[in-house]
Amino acid sequence: MIKIFKWGEVSPEEIFARLNPTASVEGVVAEIIAEVIKNKDAALKAYSEKFDGVKLDTLEVTQAEIDEAYQNADQKFVQILEEAAANIREFHSKQLRQGFTIERADGVIVGQKITAIDKAGLYVPGGTAAYPSTVLMDAIPAKIAGCAEIIMVTPPSKDGKVNPDILTAAKVAGVTRIFKVGGAQAIAALAYGTESIPKVDKIVGPGNAYVAEAKKQVFGKVSIDMIAGPSEILVLADGTNDAKDIAADLLSQAEHDKMASAVLVTDSETLAYAVSEELEKQIPLLSRKEIARKSIDDNGKIIVAENLLQAIEISNEIAPEHLEVCVDEPFAYLDKIKHAGSIFLGKNCPEALGDYYAGPNHTLPTSGTAKFSSPLSVDDFVKKTQFSFYPKTALEKVADKVAYFANKEGLQAHGKSATIRFEKKD
């Protein structure tokens, strides 16, 4: 049963389980990465046989396999995918940045240009935890950014095929190439390249502890989006809410993972106990009831605050991945919320809207990192490059100042490079 506290009886650090699920797999992941670097495709095929129970002749998904999955897909599902993709494109298109140029009176020109990364690598979980929504959320921003290649990896099932829903979503999203590889070995392949899989510039997407640890270990060789921890939801709700709705929203995250955290912060003790009772009614009805039960019992909490403003202070301290603000006038509180991965406003905006359909990204910072991190966006797939131009007359005016500054730092050659152009040449 979920635990109920009054504010002050539990510290912010204890509200969400701040676990490090990757610590115990560090050595194993290092070995896998080293093996992929050494033996490339051969290592990937061996790991597929070992971990996925399938012997693969080739690693790449063919266009025929993608087309077959799309043609055989449930048409209602395809329609919903297309609608969701349109919403995601609309939202992320607003994130496109423009470069800029500053031209000064003395002829100096400085500026910044925006360039898409060449190759984006997408990790998409497969098997029983197949998430076509992740394909849309990761591939569409990369496409909008202008990435020339979008390389997706996802584990195969025991028949050597990729989940057809994932392939259908990949076709809708515009993924360039798809490979039947999962786990830490897939991250290693994207980071270092193999005979089949090209090396990418950035790896994004969620995964288990092995995937998260692999992303951590290859960072520096490639860029990554984030090290995602277990899923989190924090629901802020006043006493006017229906306990059935709030319980369902908490369970939407609890069913993800036994380590997921679902927390309600409310100013109503009556609602707190009503939600607790409702959770006990709804959990047995879920197909993933064992997972939800473990998540709620181990990590679930209800915090009774004095008022909604205090509840928001609690939320800002926690910086949750998902934050629902279940009140009648949610926009009155929006400016007071400083730290959250994604905010869902009002009583009719469950977090599941963001997972699938609304348009904002669902790849979000966890474990309190929303205090300094952002959701996945078009920005993740571009880089900024600065440029400067000085005509000789403009350099002459400032060369001595540059040299003076450089000499203050003990870097004489720096200064000399500015002044030498105005010394008498032999």
Side-chain angles (χ1 to χ4, degrees), residues 8 40 47 79 109 117 129 160 179 242 248 251 254 325 337 347 375 395:
K40 302 185 185 306
Y47 283 127
Q79 180 183 341
I109 301 173
I117 63 175
F179 293 90
D242 189 322
L251 290 173
V325 184
I337 298 167
K347 295 179 178 179
L395 175 60

Side-chain angles (χ1 to χ4, degrees), residues 145-208:
C147 295
E149 292 187 65
I150 302 173
I151 312 299
M152 191 177 95
V153 292
T154 188
S157 55
K158 293 190 184 300
D159 62 3
K161 296 183 178 181
V162 169
N163 183 292
D165 290 344
I166 287 178
L167 294 183
T168 301
K171 186 174 178 69
V172 169
V175 173
T176 311
R177 300 174 70 186
I178 306 169
F179 293 90
K180 305 173 184 180
V181 185
Q185 61 271 27
I187 301 300
L190 290 174
Y192 292 92
T194 71
E195 295 93 343
S196 296
I197 301 178
K199 178 189 180 306
V200 302
D201 302 303
K202 183 162 190 171
I203 302 171
V204 305
N208 61 18

Side-chain angles (χ1 to χ4, degrees), residues 48-161:
S48 288
E49 191 168 0
K50 179 178 180 180
F51 297 134
D52 302 315
V54 58
K55 194 168 185 175
L56 297 173
D57 295 323
T58 58
L59 298 174
E60 187 163 5
V61 177
T62 65
Q63 188 60 50
E65 289 176 287
I66 298 170
D67 292 341
E68 180 185 8
Y70 185 83
Q71 289 162 9
N72 293 335
D74 173 63
Q75 286 307 298
K76 183 177 181 179
F77 178 57
V78 173
Q79 180 183 341
I80 293 171
L81 278 177
E82 294 283 7
E83 291 175 8
N87 291 340
I88 296 165
R89 289 189 191 101
E90 178 189 39
F91 182 86
H92 289 79
S93 293
K94 298 294 185 183
Q95 298 172 341
L96 275 170
R97 291 173 178 260
Q98 301 297 319
F100 62 85
T101 301
I102 300 171
E103 297 186 23
R104 298 175 182 150
D106 55 3
V108 170
I109 301 173
V110 295
Q112 177 177 281
K113 69 189 190 80
I114 308 294
T115 310
I117 63 175
D118 292 331
K119 292 184 177 71
L122 277 53
Y123 186 91
V124 178
T128 57
Y131 300 123
S133 58
T134 295
V135 180
L136 302 184
M137 294 292 180
D138 291 355
I140 290 174
K143 196 81 173 175
I144 290 170
C147 295
E149 292 187 65
I150 302 173
I151 312 299
M152 191 177 95
V153 292
T154 188
S157 55
K158 293 190 184 300
D159 62 3
K161 296 183 178 181

